[in-house]
Amino acid sequence: MADILDKVNTYQLLNKIDENIFITNADQQIIWINERAKELLLKVGPFVKMPNPNDFIGMNISRFHGEKQMKILREGPFPHVARITLFKRFAASIMVDEIKEETGRRCGFILTWKDVTEYEDIIKEGKELLQEIDAPILNTIIDSVNLVPVTGRLTAERLETMQIKSLTYCSEHRTTTMIFDFTSFQYSLEPFEVVGLRNLVNALGLMGVQVFFVGIGAKMAQSIVQKQISFDVPTFQSFKQGLQHIMKQKGYKLVKEK
């Protein structure tokens, strides 16, 4: 095996590796790029007005890194692995290691760069889609009254999404009443959930929107009593009862057609 490696050209070997590889000198200036990395730079280059991958030769990799990463390059430890964003557009997973001479003196660095932009974009799109369906706002038979089913465990992110969506929707649609249905929320309330729900109720109240809670389960009710929590909102056992109360309050009546 050693005989084979002795006969192989180092650059040819690096070009066979299915990774984006950059070699720098000790001053962190790029001195060589493999063919796979050149393909990547064809995408990145136009964003920095360098359409030719060979134009990156001589560039200092400090352009890709912040002060924290540059300190690691100066002092270690190695190998160094990080996730960075380049030119506010490309997400990259990088690994940097030292290249040393036989004497142990550092003579350069080898950097591998895995472009994860597409993966990051898919994750972002997935999160945005989840936010759309995470806190749905449904219409009721009364135009100014809307329903928000609360399902699953509430997180700080979900509460924030729920608040933003609810406030925006009420403002745009002139909603006067919002019903939060906890029928599928079978949990005790955590302190941060209490704060988040209170903030939501208070914010809607400032907009003149009346809030109702319906479908509160045993665990949620028990935690409300034990922790002496008060949301200062009308509550009903079910959405049906809550809606009937609102209809009566607003002067609506269901009449069966003959």
Side-chain angles (χ1 to χ4, degrees):
M1 181 63 70
D3 292 340
I4 295 175
L5 292 177
D6 288 340
K7 297 176 182 178
V8 174
N9 180 285
T10 302
Y11 298 112
Q12 181 186 24
L13 181 63
L14 291 174
N15 275 321
K16 294 291 184 182
I17 298 175
D18 193 26
E19 290 283 354
N20 304 298
I21 299 175
F22 301 77
I23 305 278
T24 80
N25 58 21
D27 294 325
Q28 299 153 12
Q29 292 175 315
I30 298 173
I31 60 173
W32 188 81
I33 306 166
N34 75 343
E35 293 301 319
R36 177 65 184 274
K38 288 180 180 179
E39 294 176 10
L40 178 63
L41 293 177
L42 283 172
K43 293 194 301 180
V44 175
F47 286 85
V48 287
K49 298 181 180 180
M50 297 173 67
N52 188 341
N54 289 324
D55 291 339
F56 283 82
I57 300 296
M59 179 184 291
N60 197 294
I61 61 173
S62 63
R63 188 166 182 177
F64 302 146
H65 302 277
E67 180 56 34
K68 181 180 178 181
Q69 283 78 26
M70 292 309 299
K71 182 178 180 181
I72 292 174
L73 290 179
R74 291 191 297 268
E75 304 173 5
F78 294 100
H80 169 57
V81 180
R83 182 70 65 91
I84 63 174
T85 301
L86 302 172
F87 316 124
K88 299 181 181 181
R89 174 63 181 87
F90 297 93
S93 177
I94 65 165
M95 191 278 288
V96 183
D97 206 352
E98 295 177 295
I99 300 175
K100 293 184 177 181
E101 298 176 348
E102 292 183 359
T103 59
R105 185 178 70 89
R106 178 195 294 171
C107 60
F109 297 91
I110 180 168
L111 180 149
T112 60
W113 170 7
K114 182 172 292 184
D115 181 18
V116 293
T117 305
E118 184 176 349
Y119 173 77
E120 296 284 348
D121 287 346
I122 292 172
I123 294 296
K124 182 180 179 181
E125 289 175 6
K127 285 184 177 180
E128 290 174 351
L129 179 60
L130 284 175
Q131 287 179 348
E132 286 298 317
I133 64 177
D134 203 23
I137 299 176
L138 308 177
N139 295 323
T140 69
I141 58 175
I142 306 174
D143 289 339
S144 61
V145 179
N146 294 99
L147 170 68
V148 179
V150 181
T151 60
R153 189 87 251 183
L154 291 173
T155 63
E157 187 176 10
R158 286 193 67 198
L159 284 164
E160 183 180 4
T161 299
M162 189 183 300
Q163 180 169 328
I164 293 172
K165 287 187 66 176
S166 297
L167 296 176
T168 303
Y169 187 93
C170 289
S171 175
E172 293 176 350
H173 295 82
R174 298 183 179 179
T175 300
T176 61
T177 307
M178 190 73 82
I179 304 171
F180 291 89
D181 189 347
F182 293 89
T183 303
S184 298
F185 184 83
Q186 301 299 319
Y187 309 96
S188 299
L189 285 176
E190 297 294 333
F192 76 91
E193 292 173 317
V194 174
V195 173
L197 289 173
R198 275 182 179 158
N199 289 341
L200 176 57
V201 170
N202 292 337
L204 287 169
L206 289 172
M207 294 178 62
V209 179
Q210 188 177 18
V211 177
F212 289 82
F213 284 178
V214 302
I216 293 176
K219 290 183 178 179
M220 181 175 174
Q222 188 177 33
S223 65
I224 288 175
V225 172
Q226 289 178 343
K227 298 174 183 178
Q228 298 182 332
I229 300 167
S230 175
F231 293 107
D232 195 26
V233 298
T235 61
F236 292 89
Q237 187 177 14
S238 66
F239 168 66
K240 179 181 179 181
Q241 291 179 350
L243 189 58
Q244 286 175 337
H245 172 83
I246 294 168
M247 289 179 65
K248 184 177 180 180
Q249 185 184 61
K250 291 181 177 293
Y252 289 91
K253 179 187 286 188
L254 283 176
V255 179
K256 184 178 180 181
E257 291 185 357
K258 294 182 180 179

